[in-house]
Amino acid sequence: MAEFGALSLVPPLLAIVLAIVTRKAVLSLFVGIWAGGIILTGGVGLGQTFDWIAAAIGESVFHAQIIVFTLLLGSSVAMIWRLGGSHAVRDFAIERIDTKRKAGAAAWILGVVLFFDDYANTAVVGSTMKDVSDHLNISREKLSYLVDSTAAPVATLAISSWVAFQLSMIESGYAATDLAESEIPDSFGVFLQSIPYNMYAILAIAMVGIIVLSQRDYGEMLTAEHRAAETGKVTRDDARPMQDVEAELGKPNIDDPRLVSFFLPIVVLISVTIGSALYTGYEPGASLYDVVTGADYAVALIFGSFAMVVSTYALGYVYNILSLSESVDTTIDGFGIMLTAVTILVLAWSIGNVVAPVEDGGLGTGAYIAALVEQFLSPEILPVVVLFTAAFIAFSTGSSWGTMAIVTPIAVPVAWNLTGSHTMVAAIVGMVFSGAIFGDHSSPISDTTVLSSTFTGADLIDHVRTQFYYATTVAIVALVLMLVWGYTRITPFALLAVGVVSLVGLVYGLSEFDANRRGIDPKSTTEPPEAAPADD
């Protein structure tokens, strides 16, 4: 069986570098996949390239389900727009959310509350806040950051699709140890113990709050926010938004937009998704824990998004706004506004096939990285090594779940064999979560990054470039704190408090430094004129 070593890093890194430099995500991803085909075959590699792309759609039920979910949500977004729901909620919110700080806080709170699935989180929060943030001259890059940096982090801290998957990975890791079955702790207990060690996720959520409440920015986000505040342009002139409903569908011809046209479909989405998840996990005699961890969240998302579409059809009929024919046409138009997102998702998943284990037809990138870092292991730095490894794999592959599948079953037995401590295992589980999310937040080939950009209408690469500064700041703080923990075993709760204070200081210090260097204000607080009409 061929071993590709360092060459296995070339396809994902090439795709990422090209995407950041050229801002052409589709082209960059395809070139990365093609490079993998060349490496694997030793020839032109086009046949292998398209095999990987086809497999990303046809051989993964989960991928196909996410595509259906995304298209159905596109239909719902289009229907809500045509029904006037987006205008109604904007008019409603503008009367109550009249500052950038209030808008940011609303997005932050919504992101924390909708913890059960990161995909549903990005769809609901992005769709809800986009028109409001546009009115207040908040850049689409900023809104994408607020959405992305609460969705996945929150999903790893509460019962969700993420946790259900990670529990199975914890069990796989313990199965590889020398412990007898009776000595293996409950995987849910290990997860609960790991929560305070999931420092990147916790501090990322805190960082969003700090940025929102302080209204300070630095790096490319400062540029984006000043552009939006001073010119009213929520995207840069040559940006390619992942979704632009008004440009695609035009303004709805609604004289009296109703709030029910927005809130009813959203409530239906959340209710049916949660209800379907519980239903798919239910078995006679099952506990609530068993139901939640055994649920099929992908199927639940499809049921929820389909019910959402049905509710918009009903609203169009009841209020005599859209005929059945017009609703069907709008549904098809809604599919269209999601085509860019779906294309990038498929190509990002195809990169995942490129870097898959060698026995699965890939280049074995994850196994190569994991083997590379094993030589640096010691009990004191093990958490940091796992954090770095998970982050690099997630950054390179664009898959948090793929990262958890690669790293957790390896890291758990290593942590146990090295220390004989279940506490260390819990810390390692937290570090896998943290590294996977940080890698996702930094990578333009991550599905969660793509969907965050999609539902906020941002340019994908602009979102990645602006978020990178904040994600890196949080990751460095988390790394330092876990290094301290490795040598001192100070309670992680005290370290988290230190981390939050450190982030406050860093945000103020970096924003002042960057603003002074450019000769501008670290706060972009310009609000739209009070007299501005709500439907402009």
Side-chain angles (χ1 to χ4, degrees):
M1 188 176 292
E3 297 291 340
F4 297 95
L7 280 177
S8 67
L9 297 172
V10 171
L13 294 184
L14 177 63
I16 290 166
V17 171
L18 282 177
I20 293 173
V21 172
T22 68
R23 297 180 188 264
K24 305 293 183 184
V26 172
L27 175 63
S28 303
L29 284 166
F30 182 79
V31 170
I33 299 165
W34 192 1
I38 292 172
I39 292 170
L40 184 69
T41 64
V44 176
L46 268 179
Q48 182 62 59
T49 297
F50 287 108
D51 284 346
W52 276 327
I53 294 173
I57 306 172
E59 293 185 5
S60 171
V61 174
F62 177 74
H63 289 173
Q65 289 169 327
I66 295 306
I67 289 173
V68 172
F69 165 69
T70 303
L71 292 175
L72 287 173
L73 277 177
S75 167
S76 301
V77 169
M79 285 292 294
I80 290 172
W81 178 263
R82 284 269 169 84
L83 292 170
S86 297
H87 278 61
V89 76
R90 186 180 69 172
D91 295 347
F92 173 80
I94 285 170
E95 295 177 2
R96 296 158 178 80
I97 301 176
D98 53 2
T99 67
K100 292 185 176 184
R101 181 180 281 120
K102 290 180 181 178
W108 181 37
I109 292 169
L110 276 174
V112 171
V113 170
L114 299 173
F115 59 82
F116 60 91
D117 183 83
D118 57 322
Y119 291 162
N121 188 311
T122 57
V124 172
V125 181
S127 300
T128 302
M129 296 305 302
K130 184 170 62 178
D131 291 324
V132 178
S133 67
D134 282 358
H135 175 76
L136 293 170
N137 293 339
I138 298 173
S139 67
R140 293 279 179 86
E141 295 95 322
K142 185 66 164 289
L143 180 60
S144 292
Y145 162 69
L146 300 179
V147 170
D148 200 3
S149 287
T150 49
V154 168
T156 65
L157 299 173
I159 297 300
S160 68
S161 51
W162 283 65
V163 173
F165 177 74
Q166 181 66 328
L167 291 178
S168 66
M169 293 298 99
I170 294 171
E171 291 172 359
S172 298
Y174 266 113
T177 66
D178 57 1
L179 287 169
E181 187 173 345
S182 60
E183 297 175 316
I184 296 177
D186 177 65
S187 59
F188 188 68
V190 175
F191 160 71
L192 290 178
Q193 193 178 358
S194 76
I195 290 176
Y197 298 99
N198 188 0
M199 291 194 177
Y200 178 83
I202 295 171
L203 294 178
I205 296 169
M207 181 71 159
V208 172
I210 293 167
I211 293 293
V212 165
L213 298 177
S214 70
Q215 294 189 284
R216 288 173 171 266
D217 292 290
Y218 56 93
E220 294 195 35
M221 191 71 80
L222 182 61
T223 303
E225 280 294 275
H226 269 275
R227 179 204 67 228
E230 295 166 6
T231 69
K233 296 177 180 178
V234 295
T235 59
R236 59 184 174 83
D237 289 332
D238 55 346
R240 298 288 298 273
M242 295 287 285
Q243 174 200 120
D244 192 345
V245 180
E246 184 169 355
E248 295 285 342
L249 304 179
K251 289 190 175 181
N253 185 22
I254 303 296
D255 296 327
D256 183 26
R258 295 177 172 86
L259 282 173
V260 68
S261 297
F262 182 89
F263 286 113
L264 178 62
I266 295 294
V267 170
V268 167
L269 170 65
I270 296 172
S271 302
V272 174
T273 299
I274 294 175
S276 299
L278 296 176
Y279 176 79
T280 58
Y282 174 76
E283 291 182 1
S287 65
L288 179 61
Y289 165 78
D290 293 330
V291 170
V292 171
T293 56
D296 189 332
Y297 289 91
V299 168
L301 287 171
I302 292 177
F303 288 165
S305 56
F306 177 73
M308 188 182 189
V309 174
V310 171
S311 71
T312 61
Y313 272 55
L315 288 167
Y317 174 79
V318 168
Y319 290 111
N320 197 28
I321 298 173
L322 295 174
S323 67
L324 179 61
S325 176
E326 289 171 328
S327 294
V328 172
D329 290 342
T330 301
T331 293
I332 296 171
D333 291 339
F335 293 161
I337 64 178
M338 291 298 186
L339 284 182
T340 299
V342 169
T343 301
I344 294 176
L345 278 174
V346 169
L347 292 176
W349 290 329
S350 301
I351 282 282
N353 290 335
V354 175
V355 301
V358 174
E359 58 269 23
D360 293 333
L363 302 180
T365 305
Y368 169 72
I369 296 171
L372 191 66
V373 300
E374 282 186 358
Q375 58 188 302
F376 303 110
L377 297 180
S378 73
E380 292 77 17
I381 66 169
L382 178 60
V384 172
V385 170
V386 171
L387 172 65
F388 175 81
T389 304
F392 192 72
I393 292 174
F395 177 78
S396 303
T397 63
S399 173
S400 291
W401 285 32
T403 299
M404 290 189 286
I406 292 169
V407 178
T408 310
I410 298 173
V412 167
V414 168
W416 174 257
N417 294 335
L418 200 62
T419 66
S421 167
H422 293 299
T423 299
M424 177 61 81
V425 172
I428 293 307
V429 170
M431 286 294 93
V432 172
F433 266 141
S434 289
I437 299 170
F438 169 55
D440 250 15
H441 282 171
S442 308
S443 176
I445 62 175
S446 158
D447 52 359
T448 52
T449 303
V450 171
L451 290 175
S452 295
S453 304
T454 299
F455 292 114
T456 58
D459 180 290
L460 171 62
I461 306 304
D462 288 349
H463 167 45
V464 173
R465 290 167 69 108
T466 49
Q467 180 167 259
F468 182 77
Y469 293 86
Y470 297 161
T472 302
T473 302
V474 175
I476 290 173
V477 171
L479 185 150
V480 171
L481 293 179
M482 285 308 297
L483 197 59
V484 171
W485 180 84
Y487 282 98
T488 67
R489 294 297 195 272
I490 294 174
T491 172
F493 295 101
L495 292 174
L496 284 169
V498 172
V500 172
V501 173
S502 299
L503 287 177
V504 172
L506 285 168
V507 167
Y508 274 80
L510 291 171
S511 62
E512 285 290 339
F513 172 79
D514 200 19
N516 290 337
R517 180 177 62 86
R518 304 187 196 191
I520 57 178
D521 194 319
K523 295 184 178 182
S524 304
T525 55
T526 304
E527 309 288 355
E530 290 184 10
D535 59 351
D536 280 356

